[in-house]
Amino acid sequence: VRTEIRIAGFGGQGVVLAGLLLGEAAIRDGRQAVQTQSYGPESRGGAARSEVLISDEKIDYPKVIEADILVALSQEAFDKFRRAVKSDGSIIIDGDLVNPGENHTLSMPFTKMADDLGRKVVANSIMLGYLVAATGVVSVESMEATIREKVPKQTIDLNLEAFRRGLELCGRGRQR
Amino acid sequence: LSREEYNRVVKAIGKRELFAQGDEAYAYGALLAGCRFFAGYPITPATETAEVMSKLLPRVGGTYIQMEDEIASMGAIIGASLAGVKSMTVTSGPGFSLMQENIGFACMTEVPCVVVDVQRSGPSTGQPTEPSQGDMMQARWGSHGDYEIIALCPNSVQESLDLTIECFNLSERYRNPVFLMTDGEVGHMREGITIPDFGEYELSEREKPQKPPEEYIPFLPERGKIPRIADFGGGYHTYLTGLTHKPDGLPSTDDAEVHTQLVTRLCEKISDHREKLTRVEELHLDDAEIAIVCYGITSRAAWYAVKSLRSEGMKVGCLRLITVWPFPEELLRRLGERVKRILVPEMNLGQILHKVKEAVGHDTEVARLPRIGGVMHSPQDIIEALKSF
């Protein structure tokens, strides 16, 4: 089975890093993964996205064709990609950044929760926790090991804490 | 490369199983091939390679220099290589344009070196963060005059590493610049890779003179068409010039015979080995009526399309060129005899297309499928083109 994940938002939200962590965690789970990224020339603020494909077989086409999971962290990203999701796919949004209209989404306040933790930049780790718990695309253990290895040393504990808060969100989410 | 040196490289990389970018893999491949000199100028989407080299080269006893521009970068790697050190630079379109003059110099003076071009969308500064395959003809004809080049195209991160090693081997063996023509999509893509074990991959080293310095004639091949190369600083004298030169290296600029012999040898030392240099990968070509001919990242969409159409019973196959230069003419000619139609998807408006057309002759229909603007072909693009062919 080929699982297609698209994480889209703007530069500075850790969209590319989130994709990298997912792909690496999938490899740790013993699966195949490809991660691609796309962003503008700006270092922050421009549209950014990361795509991750996870499969048990060799992955030919390295891009999302129709997403199983869309994470939209900006209105622009939501408007652009919400149609390119499978009918049984999931759309995860940050409810404070995206107005989903009538669409069915899993809406969580990732950025606000990160603010409460004292560092807005860990919103992506909270999002990953929620994504992992809600979809099971990678194991919790692999993701925790990956976070430990990949994030800057002085932020490991903070990111793990953020990831766990994300995990706990699952099941408590307001779905609309 | 000794086992100790190999171990140092692996220690510097960290581990042997990685989830890495193409850009990182070029650097790892270079270090595993024994590259110990890098000069470059950062440019999207190739900067990560320079970044990795700047971190790792000092740890394995190598030298990294950030130059003032790409002209100087190319000059620096030529100089380092002449001193006997395997050398590389990495760039993208705008930098590759600047390097062309010195690439010609390296061809004329037969200096082994590797240039990685992580192609982005041009012309000019174009779309800096977007991939393309727009430099494929520039790779062949970007510098002036007659010369031959070797260029390989990877389509995965593992192959990015493996082919970088191969680029070094070929440049050492043929005494010529060798290009890894990759693109921003492969460069920024991450996949699982394995660092090959010591002894698991082959390494070639340039042939050095066996005669004493007083008998050494720097541009006179003892056998074949590739002369032996003496390291600068090793006691051998080599006069080096971009001017047409005699076997002793001294300029001779008004003798048609000297020029013809030299330039013919420079070209034939590569073109004579076209078949040996040809590397391709075939998918379902045996009974194919329509073939896709592609290279690099485009092949990943092509494979998906072929497998999907095969499941519908359509007799379609794919020939992926790993060696693009020298162009595998004979192979394409034979393919033209077997299939009725050939589709050439490229992330440019049609470059290798012309070589395919030239090789297959008039009886086979060849169609282009261009995709520019920084977005790679989707499998659906290729499926639709094949169905409406």
Side-chain angles (χ1 to χ4, degrees), chain B residues 34-184:
Chain B
C35 171
R36 291 297 177 267
F37 183 85
F38 180 100
Y41 187 83
I43 184 168
T44 303
T47 303
E48 290 87 345
T49 309
E51 206 180 318
V52 173
M53 288 305 250
S54 73
K55 282 184 195 148
L56 302 193
L57 261 177
R59 291 193 216 159
V60 299
T63 305
Y64 171 93
I65 310 181
Q66 182 169 320
M67 303 301 294
E68 66 269 36
D69 60 29
E70 290 86 347
I71 300 174
S73 303
M74 194 64 215
I77 68 163
I78 290 171
S81 179
L82 284 166
V85 181
K86 288 185 186 176
S87 303
M88 176 171 91
T89 188
V90 63
T91 190
S92 188
F96 198 48
S97 292
L98 285 177
M99 288 176 183
Q100 293 303 322
E101 181 183 2
N102 274 335
I103 286 169
F105 180 83
C107 289
M108 189 63 150
T109 51
E110 303 179 67
V111 181
C113 53
V114 173
V115 179
V116 178
D117 179 7
V118 191
Q119 296 172 85
R120 73 187 213 188
S121 180
S124 190
T125 30
Q127 298 172 288
T129 57
E130 306 292 353
S132 98
Q133 296 171 329
D135 309 348
M136 297 308 295
M137 278 294 171
Q138 184 186 26
R140 178 64 188 86
W141 297 111
S143 203
H144 52 279
D146 289 301
Y147 62 99
E148 284 277 346
I149 211 78
I150 300 171
L152 309 180
C153 286
N155 79 346
S156 71
V157 178
Q158 182 69 53
E159 200 178 61
S160 293
L161 186 151
D162 298 341
L163 289 185
T164 303
I165 297 175
E166 185 60 11
C167 283
F168 276 96
N169 288 344
L170 295 172
S171 77
E172 292 288 310
R173 237 181 275 151
Y174 289 91
R175 272 195 79 167
N176 212 70
V178 174
F179 301 152
L180 188 73
M181 297 303 291
T182 176
D183 67 83

Side-chain angles (χ1 to χ4, degrees), chain B residues 204-243:
Chain B
S204 303
E205 309 294 332
R206 60 191 72 177
E207 292 204 329
K208 299 197 173 167
Q210 289 167 325
K211 291 178 176 169
E214 58 276 16
E215 288 172 36
Y216 175 59
I217 304 169
F219 294 97
L220 183 71
E222 287 169 26
R223 56 180 163 79
K225 287 170 179 162
I226 305 158
R228 290 172 181 271
I229 182 168
D231 299 344
F232 268 74
Y236 286 77
H237 293 276
T238 303
Y239 190 91
L240 205 75
T241 173
L243 292 169

Side-chain angles (χ1 to χ4, degrees), chain A residues 2 13 20 24 28 34-35 41 44 50 64 74 76 83 93 95 99 106 109 116 126-127 130 135 140 149 155 169 173:
Chain A
R2 177 181 155 114
Q13 286 180 315
L20 185 166
E24 176 122 16
R28 257 176 217 273
V34 186
Q35 182 253 341
R44 270 178 291 279
S50 184
V64 168
S74 74
E76 188 193 341
R83 282 181 200 86
I93 61 167
N99 174 6
L106 304 168
D116 295 345
I126 302 176
M127 180 276 288
Y130 179 71
T135 67
V140 171
E149 191 183 296
T155 70
L169 269 180

Side-chain angles (χ1 to χ4, degrees), chain A residues 78-95:
Chain A
F78 178 79
D79 295 341
K80 189 170 176 185
F81 295 117
R82 70 181 170 85
R83 282 181 200 86
V85 179
K86 290 194 179 100
S87 54
D88 60 346
S90 310
I91 301 179
I92 297 171
I93 61 167
D94 185 323

Side-chain angles (χ1 to χ4, degrees), chain A residues 96-136:
Chain A
D96 296 321
L97 302 174
V98 177
N99 174 6
E102 296 303 304
N103 297 281
H104 179 83
T105 61
L106 304 168
S107 174
M108 295 292 151
F110 301 122
T111 312
K112 187 179 169 301
M113 287 174 66
D115 250 342
D116 295 345
L117 271 176
R119 287 290 295 280
K120 208 172 176 174
V121 290
V122 296
N124 59 347
S125 293
I126 302 176
M127 180 276 288
L128 280 175
Y130 179 71
L131 188 153
V132 169
T135 67

Side-chain angles (χ1 to χ4, degrees), chain A residues 11-70:
Chain A
Q13 286 180 315
V15 161
V16 171
L17 179 62
L20 185 166
L21 295 173
L22 264 181
E24 176 122 16
I27 297 272
R28 257 176 217 273
D29 283 338
R31 308 187 69 195
Q32 305 265 329
V34 186
Q35 182 253 341
T36 62
Q37 58 200 50
S38 158
Y39 50 82
E42 313 88 347
S43 55
R44 270 178 291 279
R49 73 170 186 271
S50 184
E51 299 185 354
V52 185
L53 307 185
I54 301 172
S55 176
D56 290 317
E57 287 151 34
K58 186 175 165 223
I59 296 165
D60 287 339
Y61 186 59
K63 297 287 217 178
V64 168
I65 298 171
E66 201 174 28
D68 295 278
I69 303 163
L70 167 67

